[in-house]
Amino acid sequence: MISCLTTEVVKVVEPIKFYEASRAYIIVHDASGEGSDNASFYTSLIEEARNQIESLQRATVKIETADILDYREVLKTIIRIIATERAIDEMSTIYLNISSGTTEFATGAMLAAVQDEEIIAFSVKTKGTNLNLEQVVKVCIVDGRAIGTTKAVSDPIKVLTFGSDAPNDRLVACLEILKSQGVDKNYLNFNEIIDALKAKGVWDYVPEIKKTRTDDSQKERMFLRRNYITPMLDKGWVVENHKKRNKFDLTSKGEAIVSVYGKE
């Protein structure tokens, strides 16, 4: 089971009991750089959840740290955990608890579940709370106005979705190669991109047995354009540089794809 823990220990522990999970992955906020009081508070929550789960003598617990307010990082972490779990046991049933943690975690969890029909996403409802009305009013009423527990928010960040299917690994690898050139705008030519794809082990061009007037190098460049570059253009991951022919820049969607699905 994959969960996210903020302050709701019960929402993490009880579903693990219910489904009798044998392995529990808990994604938590990295509070190491915060003040001692904050770090101590979050550590106590994590330890409480770990102790309750381990007391069942059924599940092992693995704590994963991530920015749980960044749905891209959360999604990348979930995808990595799923890959790790399937490397342990391909037949393992994987549950995703979308009720625990932040809304960003829930967003990332649902994106992961939509792209993988073998994942079981579930939610739980709150049946009771430790806060009474007087405590809620004390926290949520400020200067006589009911404003809730949040003091301020950041500017909105658009959620970029990736479709119902996980992106092709070959295209993501090619996207990573194109992104790497963007550091100093030292654009790679087609042959250099092909060499980089070969080094990554994702170049699947098979030379034709029948010889034609077109040399093998040109055929490879044509294959790259047709099977890698054009699909990425069609998906809106890259755009052609308007000043340099056959040079490509990542779009915001392409950047998002790399940040979530990139291997490096």
Side-chain angles (χ1 to χ4, degrees), residues 74-143:
V74 168
L75 177 57
K76 186 178 183 69
T77 303
I78 292 171
I79 291 171
R80 176 172 53 78
I81 292 172
I82 291 171
T84 299
E85 180 61 27
R86 286 191 170 144
I88 296 171
D89 181 1
E90 289 185 0
M91 302 303 293
S92 179
T93 302
I94 301 175
Y95 296 92
L96 263 176
N97 183 350
I98 68 170
S99 293
S100 65
T102 59
T103 54
E104 288 80 6
F105 172 79
T107 301
M110 284 308 302
L111 285 172
V114 166
Q115 292 179 347
D116 189 335
E117 61 183 14
E118 298 298 321
I119 300 297
I120 300 174
F122 68 89
S123 64
V124 293
K125 293 181 179 180
T126 299
K127 294 174 65 176
T129 176
N130 291 322
L131 293 174
N132 58 40
L133 181 59
E134 182 180 349
Q135 291 171 316
V136 172
V137 169
K138 184 177 180 180
V139 173
C140 296
I141 302 294
V142 179
D143 296 331

Side-chain angles (χ1 to χ4, degrees), residues 42-211:
Y42 283 114
T43 298
S44 68
L45 290 167
I46 294 167
E47 289 308 308
E48 177 62 26
R50 185 200 295 273
N51 291 339
Q52 287 192 30
I53 295 166
E54 291 181 343
S55 70
L56 303 173
Q57 298 184 338
R58 174 185 294 275
T60 58
V61 181
K62 184 169 180 59
I63 305 299
E64 303 276 350
T65 58
D67 182 353
I68 57 177
L69 296 178
D70 183 339
Y71 84 95
R72 293 183 189 176
E73 185 172 336
V74 168
L75 177 57
K76 186 178 183 69
T77 303
I78 292 171
I79 291 171
R80 176 172 53 78
I81 292 172
I82 291 171
T84 299
E85 180 61 27
R86 286 191 170 144
I88 296 171
D89 181 1
E90 289 185 0
M91 302 303 293
S92 179
T93 302
I94 301 175
Y95 296 92
L96 263 176
N97 183 350
I98 68 170
S99 293
S100 65
T102 59
T103 54
E104 288 80 6
F105 172 79
T107 301
M110 284 308 302
L111 285 172
V114 166
Q115 292 179 347
D116 189 335
E117 61 183 14
E118 298 298 321
I119 300 297
I120 300 174
F122 68 89
S123 64
V124 293
K125 293 181 179 180
T126 299
K127 294 174 65 176
T129 176
N130 291 322
L131 293 174
N132 58 40
L133 181 59
E134 182 180 349
Q135 291 171 316
V136 172
V137 169
K138 184 177 180 180
V139 173
C140 296
I141 302 294
V142 179
D143 296 331
R145 299 166 59 202
I147 63 172
T149 60
T150 300
K151 293 175 62 175
V153 297
S154 66
D155 291 337
I157 301 172
K158 183 179 179 181
V159 176
L160 293 175
T161 56
F162 308 112
S164 59
D165 297 317
N168 183 282
D169 287 342
R170 298 179 312 139
L171 299 185
V172 174
C174 189
L175 202 59
E176 284 187 290
I177 293 167
L178 296 181
K179 179 177 173 61
S180 69
Q181 70 186 2
V183 176
D184 54 9
K185 293 300 180 183
N186 182 25
Y187 287 95
L188 303 174
N189 61 42
F190 276 15
N191 288 337
E192 291 170 327
I193 295 173
I194 290 169
D195 288 342
L197 289 168
K198 289 178 179 178
K200 285 177 173 285
V202 291
W203 180 248
D204 55 3
Y205 171 75
V206 179
E208 297 178 8
I209 297 177
K210 181 181 178 181
K211 292 294 183 180

